[in-house]
Amino acid sequence: MSKRNSFLCSLVASAAFLAQPLASALAITPINITVKSGAKQAFQGLGFSSTIAGSNGYAKLTQSQKNILQKLLCNDAKFKIVRLWFDGNKYAPQPGVENMPVFVNPYVKSGFIADALANGCTTLLLAPGALPSYMKSEDSIYIKDTEIFNYATLLANFISRMKQEYGVKLHATGILNEPNDNSIRFKDSQWPVMVKALRQELDNRNLQDVKIITPELANADSIAVRIIKAIKNDSEAWKALAAISTHSYNMAAASWIVSQIEGTDKEYWMTEAGNNGPEEPGDALNAASAASRFLNDMNNRVTHWIWFIGHAPSHTEDNSTRIIPYTISPFKYQLFQKYHYFKQLTRTFDVGAVFRKSYSSLEKDMRWSSGKKPRITVASAKNPDGSWGIGISNYTSDKFFFALPAGLGYPEGTLVSDAQSGRQAETFAVTVFIEELAQTGDIKMKMYRSNSNVNNVYIGTALMRKGTVTIPKVESLDLITLRNQ
């Protein structure tokens, strides 16, 4: 069997089918969204990371070119957080070695950190991506118990040296990126030990204001719950932890994660969302995926939301990881469609916006998790200036479907889509009711729209009456936002 047929057969086993050609639906489906009373989390901003390789490319740009890229994200699109990768194995290839240039060259000497801060970014997050190989147990995939304190010391020393020697203040640090996919991991019992040791070592260096966030798992799944519970069950470790963290790929933030921090002062950092594969400008499918995950996470107590790669040298086979790919010689850059979606969202929800929990008449809590993704995702918040913002993302498209060839046991041309993707294109009339505004008078809300090559365009005003407003037409892959002035 060819590789293509083998792939298709495996896809068929887990796919959703339509037995007839897709047709654009003429009907508009009504849907009601209720924004429940009660303040949840305060939004602290969007963020992006830069890989070490990407920052080495950044070093080759002129200062004016660097300023263009950083201004596009940190200023124009109002990104506030920068996630900086730290390779512990290259930094400390053997005990006693601290190889500062592996971090300083791409991030400090290149001007990357200084330029990001100068253009409006405010928060630096350290992202340890690998442990030193000598810390691994000889007979397992886990870190040695005896090396946990040493690893905490290594991270604290590095953060201290960055501040003392280079004037770089790191505001928060992870412990290990996507630890369950790493070559060296932590046992559940080792997590609270590590958190406590790192907090102690930071405090010993007068770094009490450096936050610890963890576990930064790829998905908000049962493994994340298990690790968070392991830390929470140790009161000292839980006190030392500033924020829980997961990533937003196939399984974004969800109620089973939120339940671990309800009634606490813990923040929830979503430290990585992304796509994989090629991308071209105007790709609304990837943009709507990003917007839907953002809105899902805002409905689930996330305070800080970070896209994988902000700007980096173009990689034609994996450009969808980037918001802004560029070439160095000649210098050219592209703004992918998700850039405009993000820019629209940050003009709807200011830093400090306090989100409420929203529910849908169609898909209840609109959860972005395993299986088919929600068709409409909505989130709403009250901004610091008193205005209200609403974000609506339509993640339906006929682009999710393709025709099967003959010879696979189904009629040739049968349309199939991946079981983890979105649904057929559908247009909705979305009515949003904000409970806290039920007793208010008429409120005019400005509406904006993005889609393929439609970039945050003003489309008129909608009248909210007694907390209720209807958007009569939200089409496939639309991002519609509303905000009163």
Side-chain angles (χ1 to χ4, degrees):
M1 181 182 291
S2 71
K3 288 184 179 180
R4 172 174 169 77
N5 281 350
S6 176
F7 166 75
L8 289 171
C9 285
S10 65
L11 181 61
V12 164
S14 63
F17 293 91
L18 293 178
Q20 56 190 20
L22 294 172
S24 297
L26 297 178
I28 296 178
T29 304
I31 179 173
N32 296 308
I33 304 294
T34 300
V35 181
K36 303 295 289 184
S37 297
K40 298 297 182 181
Q41 82 282 14
F43 177 53
Q44 298 302 311
L46 290 180
F48 67 95
S49 75
S50 175
T51 63
I52 291 173
S55 292
N56 283 329
Y58 181 86
K60 300 175 183 178
L61 301 175
T62 67
Q63 189 58 50
S64 63
Q65 293 166 348
K66 294 174 182 179
N67 286 339
I68 288 171
L69 295 174
Q70 299 289 33
K71 181 178 181 295
L72 282 166
L73 283 178
C74 300
N75 185 295
D76 298 352
K78 300 183 181 181
F79 279 60
K80 296 301 177 187
I81 309 155
V82 181
R83 187 175 185 230
L84 305 165
W85 289 89
F86 175 79
D87 188 331
N89 195 37
K90 291 182 179 179
Y91 173 75
Q94 57 189 10
V97 174
E98 293 184 352
N99 186 8
M100 294 296 286
V102 299
F103 184 92
V104 170
N105 288 348
Y107 290 127
V108 180
K109 290 188 176 180
S110 71
F112 184 92
I113 291 175
D115 295 341
L117 295 174
N119 278 280
C121 285
T122 60
T123 304
L124 301 180
L125 167 64
L126 188 68
L131 277 71
S133 58
Y134 64 81
M135 292 186 175
K136 181 179 178 296
S137 298
E138 290 80 2
D139 57 351
S140 76
I141 59 173
Y142 300 106
I143 185 174
K144 298 175 185 175
D145 288 334
T146 54
E147 292 288 0
I148 292 176
F149 177 79
N150 295 332
Y151 183 53
T153 300
L154 181 150
L155 290 177
N157 275 343
F158 172 78
I159 294 169
S160 179
R161 288 189 65 185
M162 288 303 301
K163 181 178 180 180
Q164 298 299 325
E165 299 175 25
Y166 299 95
V168 173
K169 176 179 172 56
L170 294 163
H171 302 92
T173 182
I175 290 174
L176 183 62
N177 179 65
E178 299 189 351
N180 261 44
D181 300 314
N182 217 288
S183 58
I184 307 177
R185 307 176 185 182
F186 287 89
K187 300 175 185 176
D188 288 0
S189 60
Q190 292 174 323
W191 279 106
V193 178
M194 178 64 204
V195 171
K196 289 185 291 185
L198 181 54
R199 182 72 272 158
Q200 178 183 338
E201 290 305 299
L202 289 169
D203 292 352
N204 288 345
R205 291 160 179 78
N206 199 29
L207 297 169
Q208 290 87 349
D209 56 348
V210 176
K211 296 179 178 180
I212 301 173
I213 68 169
T214 207
E216 298 195 83
L217 285 162
N219 286 295
D221 55 14
S222 60
I223 300 173
V225 172
R226 196 185 73 217
I227 293 174
I228 293 168
K229 281 184 174 180
I231 299 170
K232 189 175 182 180
N233 288 338
D234 185 311
S235 59
E236 187 180 345
W238 188 245
K239 182 180 179 181
L241 187 70
I244 62 169
S245 56
T246 58
H247 292 171
S248 286
Y249 283 96
N250 189 48
M251 297 178 70
S255 58
W256 47 82
I257 301 292
V258 174
S259 66
Q260 303 305 311
I261 59 171
E262 287 287 5
T264 76
D265 61 353
K266 301 302 178 191
E267 296 174 335
Y268 187 172
W269 292 48
M270 196 297 296
T271 53
E272 187 178 311
N275 294 109
N276 296 108
E279 184 170 342
E280 296 294 335
D283 189 331
L285 196 69
N286 279 347
S289 168
S292 294
R293 282 178 278 168
F294 171 81
L295 294 171
N296 170 91
D297 291 353
M298 293 305 105
N299 269 329
N300 286 284
R301 293 284 301 274
V302 168
T303 53
H304 303 65
W305 202 92
I306 301 171
W307 185 260
F308 179 28
I309 297 176
H311 45 71
S314 180
H315 187 315
T316 55
E317 295 179 357
D318 202 29
N319 259 344
S320 63
T321 55
R322 295 146 169 78
I323 301 173
I324 306 174
Y326 62 86
T327 57
I328 297 172
S329 183
F331 175 69
K332 293 181 180 179
Y333 66 87
Q334 296 175 308
L335 299 178
F336 282 159
Q337 196 63 49
K338 54 181 170 274
Y339 172 83
H340 301 288
Y341 280 50
F342 286 141
K343 189 174 180 180
Q344 183 174 339
L345 289 166
T346 59
R347 276 158 174 70
T348 306
F349 305 115
D350 295 339
V351 169
V354 180
F355 278 84
R356 276 60 173 167
K357 179 69 174 178
S358 298
Y359 293 92
S360 166
S361 62
L362 181 65
E363 290 160 318
K364 297 183 180 179
D365 61 357
M366 301 168 284
R367 180 187 305 156
W368 183 287
S369 195
S370 182
K372 285 291 184 181
K373 302 303 183 265
R375 285 162 279 190
I376 290 286
T377 307
V378 180
S380 180
K382 186 177 182 180
N383 286 300
D385 65 1
S387 66
W388 283 80
I390 301 170
I392 304 168
S393 179
N394 182 333
Y395 192 58
T396 68
S397 175
D398 292 345
K399 294 180 180 179
F400 292 122
F401 296 80
F402 64 92
L404 288 176
L408 294 176
Y410 294 90
E412 184 176 359
T414 295
L415 293 171
V416 60
S417 71
D418 188 286
Q420 304 298 323
S421 68
R423 299 180 186 274
Q424 180 182 358
E426 192 170 358
T427 299
F428 295 89
V430 181
T431 298
V432 179
F433 171 52
I434 299 177
E435 289 184 343
E436 291 172 54
L437 299 179
Q439 304 303 316
T440 61
D442 293 350
I443 299 174
K444 288 184 178 180
M445 307 197 80
K446 292 185 176 181
M447 295 193 298
Y448 292 83
R449 175 178 180 257
S450 288
N451 206 305
S452 179
N453 297 310
V454 178
N455 305 331
N456 193 22
V457 174
Y458 173 68
I459 57 173
T461 61
L463 184 66
M464 174 179 282
R465 177 162 292 170
K466 294 184 177 181
T468 299
V469 63
T470 296
I471 302 86
K473 195 174 186 181
V474 181
E475 298 180 287
S476 165
L477 306 181
D478 266 352
L479 172 65
I480 304 290
T481 58
L482 299 88
R483 180 171 177 171
N484 66 299
Q485 301 299 318

